[in-house]
Amino acid sequence: MNTKDLEAVALSVRSLSMDAIQKANSGHPGTPLGAAELAAVLYGAVMKHNPVDSSWVDRDRFILSAGHASMFLYSILHLAGYKVSMDDIKSFRQVGSKCPGHPERGYTDGVECTSGPLGQGIAAAVGFAVAESMLAERFNTSHHTIVDHYTYALTGEGCLEEGVSQEACSLAGNLKLGKLILFYDENKISIDGSTDITFTDDIQKRFDSYGWQVLRGSMYNIKEIIDLVDIAKAEKNKPTIIILKSVIGKGAPKEGTADVHGAPLGVDGVKAAKEALGLPVDKDFYVVPEAYSFFESRRKELAAAEEEWKAEFDAWSKENPDLRKKWDAYWTEKQTGDCPAPSYNVGDKLATRDASGKSLNVMADRFEWLVGGSADLQAPNKTKVKNDDGTYSAANRKGRTIEYGIREFAMSQVMSGINLHGGLRAFGATFLVFSDYLRGSLRVAALAKIPNIYILTHDSIYVGEDGPTHQPIETLAALRVIPNVQVLRPGDAEESQVAWEMALESKDHPVCMAFSRQALVVYAKEDKDWQKNARRGAYIVQKGADTPDITILATGSEVNMALEAAKKVSSKKIRVVSVFDLTKLSNDEALQKEVIGGAKRVVVAEAGSRMGWEGFAKKSDLFTLNDFGESGPAAKVAEHLGFTADKLAELLAK
């Protein structure tokens, strides 16, 4: 391959990037100017991709973890022939643009992953690589290889400083993900100046300790980068980090300084940069003609590669009709088994975390493409999948259970990567209170409409002896306030099965299911369509009367409490409602009228913060917790805090 063509591509990336950022009067020119050669090499020489078909399942994936450098990506996508027009480039960072400030999947053709919060792109890339290895093990045969692609990511110092990248890279090394290749743009500059102010890690030793292969080179030697990628690909048992020494803002008057990191160069700065780089000063958004002509020819080669894959896929399909049927089920999320739902009787008593464990195994049988695991809490979270081909590892790529270790943040983002890859659906589990550790990833998943499934157990003060550090108070409210996150808190085992069904039905939002540690009684449900209405957000467990004196809105374990308390107040007609999804109920006035039933008084019962409930009842009728818990046996803690059925009955009797 003629490196002159790739040099023309790199020069064009610089040209488009600085002009787009200057026109928007906003953006980060440092990395696009400093690392343009890498963009040219990846899309022009290294990656298996097809700009005409950005959804080709066996394409290589590229994740820009340093999402602030988005013009690096938009420029090369435009040049390569993706659906990113020059008008899109010119509308960078404008409302409705296909080129938003940070890459967003679903907005821009060719963008694999929503990135921007530093470090999360690296963790998602680990998920992409996990998914590739899982699918390859399941579907490749001795005669045909239909899953065989690499995951590439670009990081800077900022991503490597964030803790999530350390969690994820440690996990990737342990899993020996040989098809994961990370490029480190080592320019030694961040917003506040030289990274030496805060970041003097020996990256070589750090990644050696993770079990990675570490390679070094120059960002400005195109042939060397290509050779380094070949070396990375030859290493099958280790992920690779390629450290490329670079100059931030290369060509700009203040290259190599923090001044070119995150602000437009200015009119004079752009002019000086163009002069230094040999670009025409009087032409904005200039593309070197050879860059367009190179990719015009390159696109034919890339399209031919996909056609070859399709022929291989067709041959594989004919030889393996059962595998093909399974493949289609994986990629369309169709049922692969027919396991019946668990059956319970009124009066059965079990923790909803135990019920969740039963439901997980039902769903795992029904949907073979469901994979996942826990953050070192498999036994407490009840996430053991019984017939799962074992634990996923370097020695067993077919395993469905992923041991994440104590890495909640990375777990969540690896889940996102698996789900974004396609062909698999991932769940992850931890204690509810530790969802705070993964919150940054959950927010991005909600923004990107990724249907991650979160199993969050030990959902209240009834955790008991572990005390207030492990007893969530504000956590449910904190999760509910994130747009596009569905929070379900089932009150008994039967509701737990419905929660799991709803989680698997989700296509465009994360679902958080909160389960109890303590045993809860399976209660009779007067609403015969309760499963349908639970999906709406709430349903009537105990009617009380057509127009009750009091309606109790309760969630989770407090439905049991409400039923018990209602029995103690015989003088009033009391309705008990299980609020399955508070957000849905809050947004549906018709449902509110239906379940509240014109009650003269509404009481709320939830073992957590009152936040989010204020519109349903007056402050004195919010039977909630607004301070941290206490260490001790669960029943004693509840008594100490005044959070018992007897205390709720006293409130109802007023």
Side-chain angles (χ1 to χ4, degrees):
M1 181 170 290
N2 188 347
T3 59
K4 292 294 183 184
D5 290 331
L6 296 180
E7 289 170 2
V9 172
L11 190 57
S12 300
V13 168
R14 291 189 170 97
S15 173
L16 293 176
S17 296
M18 74 172 91
D19 280 344
I21 292 166
Q22 185 60 37
K23 185 174 186 294
N25 196 30
S26 176
H28 298 72
T31 296
L33 287 172
E37 280 75 10
L38 180 60
V41 167
L42 282 172
Y43 284 82
V46 166
M47 285 173 52
K48 178 173 69 173
H49 66 115
N50 185 3
V52 178
D53 180 11
S54 60
S55 61
W56 175 21
V57 297
D58 200 41
R59 69 191 181 278
D60 289 342
R61 271 71 167 177
F62 172 70
I63 289 86
L64 181 65
S65 190
H68 56 275
S70 54
M71 273 311 306
F72 169 99
L73 183 53
Y74 302 146
S75 296
I76 194 63
L77 290 175
H78 167 74
L79 294 169
Y82 287 83
K83 297 180 183 70
V84 179
S85 70
M86 184 62 81
D87 286 340
D88 294 329
I89 296 288
K90 291 179 179 178
S91 62
F92 174 58
R93 288 199 164 206
Q94 304 308 301
V95 174
S97 170
K98 289 183 182 178
C99 298
H102 292 79
E104 295 182 38
R105 187 176 189 272
Y107 249 64
T108 314
D109 188 42
V111 170
E112 299 284 0
C113 177
T114 299
S115 62
L118 293 177
Q120 291 197 42
I122 294 174
V126 174
F128 277 91
V130 166
E132 192 276 344
S133 67
M134 284 184 163
L135 292 168
E137 183 66 25
R138 285 161 174 75
F139 293 106
N140 290 342
T141 65
S142 58
H143 293 101
H144 299 286
T145 300
I146 60 168
V147 180
D148 182 18
H149 53 266
Y150 285 81
T151 301
Y152 300 94
L154 173 61
T155 180
E157 281 88 0
C159 289
L160 296 182
E161 289 181 53
E162 288 287 358
V164 65
S165 70
Q166 301 184 48
E167 292 180 27
C169 291
S170 172
L171 179 64
N174 175 267
L175 294 174
K176 302 183 187 300
L177 296 172
K179 287 189 174 179
L180 174 62
I181 300 174
L182 176 63
F183 296 95
Y184 169 26
D185 174 27
E186 189 186 38
N187 59 48
K188 295 289 188 179
I189 294 293
S190 62
I191 291 175
D192 285 348
S194 168
T195 54
D196 288 342
I197 299 169
T198 58
F199 186 61
T200 53
D201 294 19
D202 187 324
I203 298 302
Q204 172 87 42
K205 290 180 179 178
R206 179 167 144 188
F207 278 81
D208 279 342
S209 74
Y210 291 154
W212 286 54
Q213 174 178 225
V214 182
L215 305 174
R216 290 182 177 273
S218 167
M219 185 67 77
Y220 309 116
N221 188 329
I222 286 175
K223 185 179 183 305
E224 183 181 40
I225 297 174
I226 295 172
D227 290 342
L228 289 171
V229 171
D230 287 340
I231 296 171
K233 286 183 174 182
E235 173 55 71
K236 306 300 183 185
N237 296 312
K238 292 181 179 181
T240 297
I241 181 171
I242 301 176
I243 302 171
L244 297 174
K245 186 67 178 175
S246 70
V247 177
I248 193 170
K250 185 172 175 60
K254 295 183 179 180
E255 67 175 22
T257 71
D259 291 336
V260 294
H261 171 80
L265 301 182
V267 174
D268 291 340
V270 169
K271 180 180 178 181
K274 288 181 177 180
E275 288 176 344
L277 294 167
L279 288 163
V281 175
D282 58 343
K283 293 181 180 179
D284 292 337
F285 297 96
Y286 176 77
V287 173
V288 181
E290 289 81 3
Y292 277 143
S293 59
F294 166 76
F295 272 116
E296 184 177 349
S297 174
R298 179 73 173 141
R299 281 194 294 274
K300 295 175 183 176
E301 298 172 11
L302 296 170
E306 182 175 358
E307 289 304 314
E308 289 178 12
W309 177 86
K310 287 179 178 178
E312 177 83 356
F313 183 77
D314 289 342
W316 169 84
S317 299
K318 289 176 183 177
E319 287 187 20
N320 305 280
D322 291 339
L323 268 183
R324 172 59 193 272
K325 184 178 179 181
K326 186 181 289 188
W327 171 276
D328 290 342
Y330 273 53
W331 286 92
T332 57
E333 295 196 346
K334 299 298 183 186
Q335 204 160 318
T336 57
D338 196 26
C339 185
S343 178
Y344 302 101
N345 297 312
V346 172
D348 287 349
K349 193 172 184 180
L350 71 163
T352 54
R353 65 168 174 162
D354 291 316
S356 170
K358 294 177 184 291
S359 293
L360 167 59
N361 274 278
V362 167
M363 306 316 262
D365 184 86
R366 290 180 185 176
F367 307 107
E368 191 179 295
W369 36 261
L370 179 64
V371 302
S374 168
D376 197 51
L377 291 167
Q378 184 181 102
N381 290 156
K382 307 299 180 183
T383 53
K384 174 63 178 173
V385 178
K386 294 174 182 175
N387 299 314
D388 68 343
D389 295 311
T391 299
Y392 171 80
S393 68
N396 181 26
R397 299 301 193 197
K398 202 171 184 180
R400 294 171 69 184
T401 296
I402 303 171
E403 291 282 6
Y404 284 107
I406 307 166
R407 302 181 178 101
E408 292 89 353
F409 198 169
M411 174 183 72
S412 176
Q413 199 62 4
V414 169
M415 288 162 57
S416 290
I418 292 171
N419 290 332
L420 286 172
H421 180 280
L424 299 165
R425 184 76 173 277
F427 68 86
T430 187
F431 290 171
L432 176 60
V433 75
F434 298 138
S435 64
D436 283 344
Y437 281 132
L438 59 80
R439 184 180 178 85
S441 171
L442 174 59
R443 182 182 186 276
V444 173
L447 174 74
K449 301 181 179 179
I450 307 172
N452 290 353
I453 298 172
Y454 297 88
I455 302 166
L456 304 172
T457 69
H458 296 61
D459 69 348
S460 71
I461 58 167
Y462 297 102
V463 169
E465 289 86 349
D466 277 335
T469 60
H470 284 54
Q471 295 169 3
I473 299 295
E474 78 292 354
T475 317
L476 285 168
L479 293 174
R480 287 172 179 148
V481 80
I482 305 175
N484 205 40
V485 171
Q486 185 169 34
V487 181
L488 306 176
R489 190 174 182 234
D492 70 1
E494 289 183 328
E495 289 188 9
S496 299
Q497 172 64 22
V498 175
W500 262 103
E501 291 172 3
M502 292 174 67
L504 267 295
E505 289 162 7
S506 170
K507 305 298 181 187
D508 62 1
H509 62 269
V511 177
C512 296
M513 298 180 288
F515 297 112
S516 73
R517 181 194 185 212
Q518 76 277 22
L520 302 175
V521 175
V522 176
Y523 37 77
K525 300 164 178 67
E526 290 191 35
D527 183 349
K528 301 307 177 186
D529 290 326
W530 73 268
Q531 295 189 42
K532 173 184 175 183
N533 289 323
R535 283 175 162 80
R536 293 172 61 200
Y539 74 95
I540 297 169
V541 177
Q542 176 180 289
K543 188 174 182 180
D546 288 337
T547 304
D549 296 314
I550 301 172
T551 292
I552 306 175
L553 301 179
T555 76
S557 53
E558 285 65 69
V559 179
N560 265 257
M561 177 190 284
L563 291 168
E564 184 181 346
K567 289 179 183 178
K568 298 175 183 288
V569 186
S570 58
S571 61
K572 296 186 179 181
K573 298 171 184 176
I574 299 175
R575 175 173 294 185
V576 176
V577 174
S578 176
V579 179
F580 213 60
D581 181 338
L582 176 58
T583 302
K584 277 194 170 185
L585 179 62
S586 298
N587 293 329
D588 190 337
E589 292 185 7
L591 181 62
Q592 292 173 30
K593 290 178 181 178
E594 186 178 321
V595 297
I596 291 172
K600 302 165 189 173
R601 183 179 168 205
V602 175
V603 172
V604 168
E606 183 170 72
S609 169
R610 71 168 68 101
M611 183 179 295
W613 291 104
E614 296 94 330
F616 289 98
K618 58 185 181 180
K619 186 176 179 180
S620 59
D621 282 337
L622 295 173
F623 193 69
T624 55
L625 294 167
N626 297 291
D627 202 351
F628 296 113
E630 189 69 48
S631 179
K636 295 291 186 182
V637 170
E639 185 178 349
H640 173 75
L641 296 174
F643 200 78
T644 63
D646 286 339
K647 289 295 183 182
L648 177 57
E650 290 178 16
L651 176 61
L652 297 174
K654 289 182 180 179

